[in-house]
Amino acid sequence: MKKVSDILSQKKYTLIAVTPDTTVLEALNVMAEKNIGSVLVMDGEEYFGLLTERDYSRKVILKSKSSTDTKVYDIMSIGLPRITPDNSIEVCMHLMSENNIRYLPVFENDKVCGIISVNDVIKAIISHQEETIAHLESYIHS
C-alpha cells in the first residue's frame, strides 16, 4: 500500500501557513485564495496547530464571534495526531476516522513537511486499487 511520502510527492504546493496572531478573516482569505480547506498555524518553523473550515464554522460562526477580531490561535485545532512520510495510508485512514478529522500534519525530524487531507487518502486508495486491477488483468491475459 502507498505511503504518505507518495501523496506528498504528487502534491504540487508549498506549505501555506499563517501566524497565531493572524485574524480568522485573514486566514480565511488565504484559504480562499489558495482554494484549500486548512492552513498551518506557525511562527517561523514552530508548529502551533491547524486551522480548518470546520474550526471556523464551529468556533466562530456558531458562537457568534467576529472573524475580524478573533485570532487564529483562539480557534485552531491542536493536539492532532502527527504522521511521518513513512506512515502508510491505512494508518492515516485509521487516525482520521478514529479522531473524526479531515487533515493530518506531516512531520519529518520534528518539522512540518506537509499536510494530507482525507481527499488525498481517498485518491491514493483509488490509485492503488486501479494499479492492482491492472496487474491482475495483465496476469489473467498473459
Side-chain angles (χ1 to χ4, degrees):
M1 183 57 82
K2 295 189 178 213
K3 294 185 176 191
V4 171
S5 58
D6 297 321
I7 292 175
L8 293 178
S9 69
Q10 293 180 357
K11 292 181 98 169
K12 295 180 169 99
Y13 73 92
T14 57
L15 292 179
I16 300 168
V18 297
T19 60
D21 63 344
T22 301
T23 67
V24 170
L25 184 60
E26 291 170 325
L28 290 172
N29 280 324
V30 169
M31 292 164 61
E33 179 183 304
K34 302 292 185 183
N35 195 29
I36 55 177
S38 69
V39 64
L40 292 162
V41 181
M42 299 179 69
D43 191 3
E45 291 190 12
E46 184 180 1
Y47 169 80
F48 282 84
L50 192 67
L51 178 71
T52 68
E53 293 168 331
R54 186 181 281 183
D55 291 324
Y56 171 67
S57 65
R58 294 182 180 180
K59 299 173 186 174
V60 177
I61 296 296
L62 290 178
K63 302 220 180 213
S64 299
K65 292 185 178 183
S66 167
S67 301
T68 55
D69 296 332
T70 305
K71 303 294 183 187
V72 167
Y73 185 81
D74 296 326
I75 68 160
M76 67 185 180
S77 293
I78 58 171
L80 295 171
R82 292 181 173 212
I83 58 171
T84 69
D86 290 331
N87 284 120
S88 70
I89 299 306
E90 289 94 348
V91 167
C92 297
M93 285 182 355
H94 176 74
L95 288 170
M96 288 175 162
S97 177
E98 184 177 278
N99 294 285
N100 194 29
I101 55 177
R102 297 177 181 178
Y103 302 94
L104 287 170
V106 184
F107 290 83
E108 191 166 36
N109 301 321
D110 289 327
K111 291 190 179 191
V112 176
C113 64
I115 290 179
I116 65 164
S117 70
V118 69
N119 287 339
D120 296 328
V121 172
I122 290 168
K123 287 177 187 176
I125 291 168
I126 290 170
S127 173
H128 178 71
Q129 289 175 344
E130 288 172 345
E131 290 170 8
T132 300
I133 290 167
H135 286 211
L136 290 172
E137 287 176 342
S138 174
Y139 176 76
I140 289 169
H141 296 311
S142 61

